[in-house]
Amino acid sequence: MGAKQLLSRRLVLRSSADEESVDEYAARLGLARHAEIPANQDEGVPRQILWHAESGPALHYREDLFSGLPYIVFTSQDAGALNDAVQLAEVALDTWRIPDLWREVDARRDSDEWPEDILRMGLGAPEEFDEEIFSRVIGALHSDRDDVREAGLIATTYQPWDEYVEPIRELLLREGLSKPLAETARTILDEFGAADS
């Protein structure tokens, strides 16, 4: 039985980096392109490109189905090698770092870009609970703008921390919540396994 494959957090690409940048980066690391998988919205499969070598972490380029934002992840059986790959990519590709994600949400609050900033922050959230990200997602759920509330709801699904359950329930109790948003919130609670618990 093989060792367990570990997955890194999503490293969201800035607008200055794209698929071609990742391809060039993979080549510099000596990683060969092995597969390209088209997006399948019905099955929830994002567009994906995979590079790897005989050993070491594999690099995956993906495009988020909901937001369209591009990001990379690494897979490896070695936690140390995985961490090293993430740290190198953060510098070499200038990916969004966690503090930059929530600072961008703060800087462009109430702008037209605010929903996308919230989605990007959710997409790049770490597996472990992060109070800075959590508080800003909750702030989005309390917005009067439906597009911001929807972005907040979707952001809860990227790293489904248990702490999101109660705020989503509270959102469902708010007067004037649109039917589509209420349906999205109920669907997310179902995914959390917390619809009636």
Side-chain angles (χ1 to χ4, degrees):
M1 188 173 181
K4 182 183 175 188
Q5 273 296 72
L6 304 172
L7 178 69
S8 75
R9 75 173 181 88
R10 299 175 195 91
L11 301 173
V12 184
L13 299 175
R14 293 180 185 268
S15 56
S16 57
D18 56 14
E19 177 187 327
E20 188 176 324
S21 306
V22 178
D23 197 36
E24 291 169 1
Y25 177 65
R28 288 199 310 270
L29 294 179
L31 304 177
R33 190 173 180 140
H34 280 272
E36 183 166 348
I37 302 162
N40 185 325
Q41 193 85 32
D42 294 337
E43 294 183 17
V45 176
R47 179 166 178 268
Q48 182 171 192
I49 303 169
L50 170 66
W51 298 264
H52 64 82
E54 290 297 313
S55 62
L59 171 60
H60 308 250
Y61 167 90
R62 296 177 181 166
E63 293 169 355
D64 179 52
L65 285 172
F66 188 82
S67 67
L69 292 167
Y71 64 96
I72 59 171
V73 293
F74 290 93
T75 54
S76 178
Q77 295 177 350
D78 182 317
L82 192 68
N83 186 55
D84 290 347
V86 166
Q87 290 186 358
L88 183 61
E90 281 182 328
V91 174
L93 290 170
D94 189 28
T95 62
W96 285 90
R97 295 178 189 232
I98 291 170
D100 296 332
L101 289 166
W102 55 259
R103 286 184 189 123
E104 190 75 358
V105 168
D106 291 350
R108 301 203 302 181
R109 188 180 175 94
D110 298 325
S111 72
D112 290 343
E113 291 80 20
W114 194 22
E116 181 178 314
D117 295 336
I118 292 162
L119 290 171
R120 184 188 306 109
M121 181 182 66
L123 187 62
E127 185 176 348
E128 63 278 1
F129 179 77
D130 184 289
E131 180 62 42
E132 298 288 358
I133 290 174
F134 175 77
S135 65
R136 285 157 179 84
V137 171
I138 300 312
L141 295 180
H142 285 96
S143 172
D144 292 329
R145 288 172 51 182
D146 276 0
D147 60 339
V148 173
R149 284 192 276 195
E150 181 183 34
L153 282 169
I154 300 304
T156 69
T157 67
Y158 293 122
Q159 289 295 352
W161 301 320
D162 291 340
E163 288 85 353
Y164 283 134
V165 170
E166 206 49 48
I168 295 172
R169 284 185 179 141
E170 289 169 7
L171 178 66
L172 279 167
L173 297 175
R174 287 180 64 180
E175 286 185 25
L177 188 66
S178 70
K179 188 174 178 182
L181 274 181
E183 287 174 1
T184 299
R186 285 190 197 97
T187 299
I188 290 170
L189 284 179
D190 284 343
E191 290 172 7
F192 273 89
D196 298 310
S197 61

